[in-house]
Amino acid sequence: MATIVANWKMYQPYDKAIAFVRDHKQELEQLLHPYSTLVIAPSFVCLDPMWQMLRDSRIQLCAQDVSAYTSGAYTGEVSAASLADVGCYYAIIGHSERRRYFGETNEMISQKIQRLFENYITPIICIGESKEDYKKGITRQVLEAQLAALMPALGNQEEFFCIAYEPEWAIGTGVTPDLEELEKILSWISEFVHENEHDDIHVSMGLLYGGSVDETNAAGFMTVPGLGGLLIGGASRDFQTLKKIVSLT
Ligand code: PGA
């Protein structure tokens, strides 16, 4: 039982993304374990046409980002309410590419979390340390700073959310963390979140791993205790690869 999130980033052009879902949705759905979830995160423009194709299926739609604002004069932004209208049940936020290239801060991510909860969309919140931080051995401190900044938005929530641990040095590099190390980090994340939840709240959270997941290492990741699923970038664009990973669920 696992949640598999295919993050197509800006790789798949519109036509290819639509054709992928049209041609393969049935097979992917058949391979998916009854209690597992396959989530596809295409670019914004694909969401509505995909929703038309997927509304009766077990494949869920996910946005790759959302506006921190509710509505108004914010050129280029897409609101959480619009995402809900086109069938998005999930949204990835705080991805390291957005933090790095678009200056996304923990404060903006906190606002995005609130907009998503207001619209009953499950946030998939990415956290992770850089290669330099990893080399310096300060992974925990970095993760703690990221999580601590988000706890005011998360700690009083009864709605389910996901935290995706995505070390930057593993994204798109072919390098992945040691499974024992990953298990320790996931268990630390879980402890930290529960220690910092509000008194009368027990938050409900899934933990994902992302960074160079492919068909050769997915099975290994799935054995890690505490891991609820995988966030897959590059490898999820290839049908044969995604098919193999989905059949492991
Ligand atoms: P990758 O990306 O699988 O291509 O390493 C993962 C991600 O950025 O979510």
Side-chain angles (χ1 to χ4, degrees):
M1 190 177 130
T3 300
I4 304 295
V5 186
N7 175 12
W8 284 351
K9 309 193 179 188
M10 207 176 71
Y11 287 125
Q12 297 273 50
Y14 179 85
D15 287 355
K16 250 184 125 180
I18 299 294
F20 186 111
V21 169
R22 186 193 56 226
D23 297 346
H24 305 307
K25 64 173 183 167
Q26 219 169 346
E27 202 172 339
L28 288 170
E29 213 181 351
Q30 278 161 6
L31 288 168
L32 193 63
H33 182 279
Y35 297 132
S36 291
T37 311
L38 174 61
V39 180
I40 294 184
S43 62
F44 283 130
V45 291
C46 295
L47 290 170
D48 187 46
M50 282 192 187
W51 169 233
Q52 306 309 325
M53 292 190 274
L54 294 175
R55 56 198 316 161
D56 299 322
S57 91
R58 290 167 52 223
I59 302 174
Q60 307 289 348
L61 271 178
C62 177
Q64 295 180 14
D65 189 24
V66 65
S67 177
Y69 302 101
T70 307
S71 78
Y74 302 105
T75 302
E77 292 286 276
V78 178
S79 70
S82 298
L83 296 180
D85 283 344
V86 293
C88 270
Y89 284 175
Y90 295 85
I92 298 169
I93 48 173
H95 192 283
S96 61
E97 287 153 12
R98 296 221 53 92
R99 292 179 190 254
R100 181 173 287 248
Y101 305 131
F102 303 98
E104 201 153 292
T105 61
N106 287 320
E107 197 181 23
M108 289 155 80
I109 297 164
S110 295
Q111 289 170 357
K112 291 179 180 200
I113 290 172
Q114 280 159 6
R115 298 295 86 76
L116 293 173
F117 282 137
E118 284 160 12
N119 287 278
Y120 306 102
I121 297 172
T122 300
I124 299 174
I125 304 142
C126 301
I127 58 169
E129 79 285 9
S130 68
K131 191 172 174 181
E132 300 78 61
D133 297 333
Y134 177 70
K135 279 193 185 155
K136 280 191 221 154
I138 56 165
T139 297
R140 296 263 170 111
Q141 287 94 311
V142 173
L143 298 183
E144 182 165 343
Q146 290 174 344
L147 278 176
L150 303 178
M151 282 318 292
L154 293 174
N156 61 353
Q157 276 304 326
E158 273 166 344
E159 303 290 334
F160 180 76
F161 61 86
C162 294
I163 302 274
Y165 171 56
E166 294 212 310
E168 284 180 47
W169 48 269
I171 297 177
T173 58
V175 183
T176 55
D178 173 79
L179 298 185
E180 276 177 32
E181 206 174 311
L182 178 60
E183 181 185 345
K184 283 188 199 146
I185 289 178
L186 296 180
S187 109
W188 175 83
I189 293 172
S190 172
E191 257 169 53
F192 184 86
V193 170
H194 289 301
E195 271 166 15
N196 288 280
E197 63 198 6
H198 290 198
D199 285 348
D200 46 345
I201 302 279
H202 184 73
V203 302
S204 155
M205 168 183 67
L207 292 174
L208 310 182
Y209 166 76
S212 293
V213 175
D214 61 24
E215 76 279 22
T216 65
N217 58 25
F221 284 122
M222 285 184 195
T223 63
V224 174
L227 190 88
L230 298 166
L231 177 49
I232 311 168
S236 69
R237 293 174 289 155
D238 178 67
F239 171 60
Q240 294 305 330
T241 305
L242 186 61
K243 193 172 135 177
K244 283 186 196 142
I245 298 173
V246 167
S247 62
L248 297 168
T249 61

